[in-house]
Amino acid sequence: MFILFESLDRDNRGCLSPDDFEALGGLAMNPIGGRIMEAFFSSGQDTVDFSSFVRILAHFRPTDRNRNKEGAQQELPSSRTRKLKFAFQLYDMDRDGKISREELLQVLRAMLGLQVTEEQLQSIAERAIQEADLDKDDAISFDEFKKSLEKTDIDTKMSVSFLK
Amino acid sequence: MATLWRFTLFLCMLLMACGGLSLASKEAKTRSSQTETGTHNTTEEGGHGAGPITTLPIVTWKWDHISVQYLVALWVLVCWLCKLLIEANHNVTNYIPESALLICSGFILGGMIWGADKVQTFSLNPTVFFYFLLPQIILDSGYHMPNKLFFTNLGAILIHAVIGTCWNAASLGLSLWGCHMGGAMGDLDIGLLQYLLFGSLMAAVDPVAVLAVFDQVHVNEVLFIIVFGESLLNDGVTVVLFNVFDAFVSLGGGRINAAEIIKGIVSFFVVAFGGSLVGIAFGILISLLTRCTKNIQIIEPGFIFVMGYLSYLTAEMLSLSAILSTTFCGVLCQKYVRANMDESSVQTVKYAMKVFANGSETIIFVFLGISAIDKVIWVWNTGFILLTVFFVFVYRFIGVFFLQWILNRYRLVPVELMDMVIMSYGGLRGAVAYGLAVLLDEKKIKEKNLMICTTLIVVYFTVILQGITMKPLVMWLKVKRAAVAEVSLLEKITNKMFNHTLVAIEDISGQIGDNYFRSKWRHFEEKWMTPFLMKPSARKKQDDVFDVFHQLNLKDAMEYVTEGERRGSLEFVRNDSAILDFKKKLESEYTEAMPDIPPYMIHDDGNLILIAPLEIYLIRKLADHIPSVSLEMHEQTMKAMREPEAVDVHHLLDQHLYKSRKQYRHGFSRSDFKINRDEKEVQEIFQRTMRNRLESFKSAKMGVSPPKTLVKYSKKEQAVTDSCNGREKGHPKYGHLRCSTHLPFQRVKQLGKSWFKGR
C-alpha cells in the first residue's frame, strides 16, 4: 500500500495533494471524480497523509461476514454503516448532514447530464427525495439514506477485491 | 370441483377420440393400400384418388388430407388442457412442481393410448423436439436473461459448464465401465467408448428442467444464474462430446490416435465459439432490422421470432452449437430491440415469447411421460440403471463442490456452502438427454433401448423426485431467497454512483479490476454499438436511472387509471394551496405564454377550485384529440394532484399531449400580438411553464396549508376575472362541466369556444 502511495505522490512530499490526484487521467474522466477527491481531503485540509489515505481506502474492503458478529463490527471501517457514511458524504458536499435537492441535482447532472433534459433531472431528483424523505423536510438525512438502501447489497457494491 | 370433473371427462373423451382417430387412420391407411388395386372405396376413404365415385358426394370424410395437422393441433390442445387441469388447484402445485405433474399426466395419457392402440403411437420424436419445441424455449431464456448478472458471473458459469460437464461425462462413463468390468451389470455388450458416449449424453444439465423447477422455488439470483447459465452454456460441450464420441464409436477403437483426440479438442473450440458468433451475428442483424421497421410496426415483433429461429437453424446447419447461438442472439438483441421498437411491440414480443416457451415446455414434459409407456423400449438391467442414477447424483455433488471451492477463492462474495448444495441438487437432467439418447444409432450401439430406459429413469428421478424435494430442501437449509425487487430511484442513483466510485478507486490504486473492464465495455458500447444498432430517437433515453423513472411513472399512471375507474364518481379538488406559488409564477411567466387563457376560478360550496389555463388547455386537448374521452379523466388528474406521484401522471399525459400538439391549431387567440410568434416557441414556453407549475404544485402542497382566500391575479387579469366572476359564481356552464361524467366532445368544444368568444 505504501508503494502505491509513493507512486502517487509525485513530488515526494510524503503526502498527496489535489494535483497528484488530477494527474490520474481516469479520475478526470470520471463524472464524480471531483467528489471522490474531496472525500479524501476531509475537514478542509490540503494534503492527505498516508494514514488517512489508508483509512479512506479501508472503506472499500470487503466486509468480513463470518468474523466478530458482536458489537465489534460497528467499529470496523469496512462495516456497512461506514460504507454508507462514505457514500453519503459523496452526495453531501457541504457536510451539513443532509442531502438537499440541490446537492442531489448536482450529482444527477454530473452523471446523467448529457442524456436527460434539465426538467427531467429535476423531476427525477424530486421523486428520489420524495421516496426517501420520511420526515418531509425536503432533504435526505443519513438515517433516511440508510433506510432506503437497506435492501441493496452495499457490501458487494462498495468493495474492491484486491483490498482484502 | 364439478367443473374439474367435467374437464377430466372431456379430456378423456378427447383422448379416446384421438386414439380412435389414429387407429382409424391406421386402419384407413392399411385399407386404402388394399383397395388401391381397384376395388371401389367406401365412404370412409374420401379424398380423391381413392377410386371412382358413382355419384356426387355432398359431404366427404377427408381425414387423410389433414390427419397430420389435425393430430398435431389436437395434441397441442391436449397438452395445454393438462396444464389447465393441473393449475386448477394451487395447493397441489405448491408442493409438487408443475413439470412433475405434467409428466404424470403424460403417463396417464400414454396409458390410455396404449390401452386403445396396444402400441405406442406417440412419443417424443427427436426431430420434433430439437427443431420445433426447443428453439423457442432457448430464445425466451436468452431474451429475458438478466444480462448484468449473467456477465458478472460469467467466469463461474463457464467453468461449471465446460469443466463440470466434462468431469460429469468422463467420471460417469469411466465408473460405469469400471463396474461393467467388475461384473456388476451382468452381460452387456457395451464397450468403453460406448460408455463414454452414454456418459456424455447424460452429463448435460437441462435448461428446460432447471427453469421449470427453479421457477417455483425463487432462490437468490446468483445461485439461479449460475445453475441456469451453466445449463445453457453446457450445450456447447455436450454437442461436442456427443459428436466426438459418436464418431469414435463409428471409427472403432482401433483408429483412435492422438490426431483424432486433438481434433476433438479443437472441435470443441470451433463449435462453442462458432455457435456464439452465429448468435452474435444474428443478434446484430435483429437490432439493425428493428432500427428500420418503424413503418411496419404491426409485424415488427415477428422478426424477432423468425430471426431467432434462423439463428438456431443456421448453427445447426453448420454443426455448431445451436443452443449457444440462440442464447447469445437473445442476450445481445434484448437491449437494442427494447429500445428500438415501439412499446406495444415490445410487449407483444414479451408475451408471445412466453406463450411459445411455456407451451413448448408443457408439450415436452407431457410427451416425456407418454414416451415411457412403451413396452418396446423397456429393458431392465438393475445394475446399470441404479448405478447410473447413483453416479449421476454423486459426481454432480463432487464436481460442483470442488469447482466452486476453487472459484470462491477468486470471488468477491463467496458462494455459501448451502448454496453449493442447492447448486448440485439442481443439476437436473431432462429432455435434451432423452432426445440425444433416441438419436443413437442402434446398429452401432446394441443396447440403445437400455440406454433410453436409463435416461428416462434418470430424467424422472431428477425432475420428479428432486423437483418435489427442492422446495423443502431450500427452506430447510435456509438458503437465501430472491429479494423482492422493488426498485427505488435513490437506489438506482446510488448504484450508479457506486459504480463510478469503484472505478475511481481502482484508478487511484492503479489496479485493473472488474469495474475497469465494465466501464471500458460501457464506453465501447456507447461509442460504437449504440449509434450503430439503436435508433437515434431511442438513444437519447438510454439510461438506467431514467428508465427506472419512466417505469415508475408508467406504473403510477396505470394505478391511477384503475383507481379512478374504481372510484368512479367525481371528487372536487382542493387546490388552494397551489394558488400562492401560482401567483408568483403566473405573473412572470405564463402571461407571455398564454395570456388568452386566464386562470379560471370556480367557487363551489365555499371551496375554491382552480382550473388553471393549463387544465383548460388539457380539456381542450383531450376533447379534440381523443374524441370520446370523458372529462372524468380530467377530474381524476385534478383529484390526483393531491398525491405526489400524480404529478408524474400529469407529466406523462403532458408528454404525450405535447407530441400530438404539433398538429393542433389555436383557434381562440384573443390578442393579436401573438400572431407573429412561432408555434414551436410558444409550445416550448408553455411546456416549461407547465413543468414549473407542476413543480410548484407539489412543493406547495407538501408544506403549505391551504388558505381559503380568493386570490387575485395580476392586474392584467383583474379585469378579466372580474368580468368573469359573475359568470363563474353561478356556473351554469362550468359547474355543469364539473358535474358531468361524460361530456361529449362537441359540447366541450362549444363551451370552450363560447366562453372565449363571449368575452
Side-chain angles (χ1 to χ4, degrees), chain B residues 58-112:
Chain B
I58 298 177
V59 173
T60 49
W61 175 248
K62 288 194 167 178
W63 172 249
D64 285 338
H65 281 216
I66 49 141
S67 60
V68 176
Q69 293 90 316
Y70 202 91
L71 282 174
V72 168
L74 201 57
W75 269 113
V76 172
L77 178 65
V78 165
C79 294
W80 290 356
L81 283 177
C82 287
K83 189 178 171 112
L84 177 70
L85 277 179
I86 290 172
E87 291 290 346
N89 193 348
H90 272 281
N91 287 331
V92 186
T93 46
N94 264 337
Y95 296 109
I96 309 182
E98 193 188 282
S99 42
L101 289 170
L102 282 170
I103 294 187
C104 295
S105 1
F107 286 151
I108 301 176
L109 290 176
M112 282 199 258

Side-chain angles (χ1 to χ4, degrees), chain B residues 413-431:
Chain B
V413 179
V415 174
E416 292 171 25
L417 196 66
M418 293 303 128
D419 281 354
M420 284 198 248
V421 171
I422 299 293
M423 246 160 68
S424 336
Y425 202 66
L428 311 174
R429 288 12 185 217

Side-chain angles (χ1 to χ4, degrees), chain A residues 30 112 126-127 131 157, chain B residues 489 500 502 543 556 648 695:
Chain A
N30 200 316
L112 304 173
E126 187 66 52
R127 187 168 185 138
E131 278 175 355
K157 295 226 156 67
Chain B
L489 262 186
H500 286 301
L502 286 180
D543 191 73
D556 292 326
D648 302 310
E695 185 80 50

Side-chain angles (χ1 to χ4, degrees), chain B residues 28-40:
Chain B
K29 281 198 200 107
T30 46
R31 239 185 291 141
S32 67
S33 57
Q34 285 166 7
T35 54
E36 243 157 47
T37 48
T39 48
H40 73 98

Side-chain angles (χ1 to χ4, degrees), chain A residues 101 126-127 130 133 135-138, chain B residues 560 572-582 584-585 610 615 636-651 690-707:
Chain A
R101 197 178 310 169
E126 187 66 52
R127 187 168 185 138
Q130 258 169 35
D133 194 13
D135 53 1
K136 302 276 181 263
D137 59 353
D138 213 23
Chain B
Y560 277 102
F572 289 126
V573 179
R574 188 185 296 243
N575 250 331
D576 321 330
S577 53
I579 296 169
L580 276 182
D581 290 81
F582 216 100
K584 291 183 230 137
K585 303 274 179 161
L610 178 75
E615 269 71 56
Q636 278 154 21
T637 31
M638 290 293 283
K639 165 180 59 169
M641 293 299 251
R642 261 193 277 234
E643 287 112 319
E645 286 95 333
V647 185
D648 302 310
V649 177
H650 216 152
H651 225 143
M690 290 223 287
R691 287 225 167 85
N692 288 332
R693 204 162 297 151
L694 298 178
E695 185 80 50
S696 64
F697 265 49
K698 251 212 250 190
S699 51
K701 182 185 359 43
M702 299 231 280
V704 181
S705 60

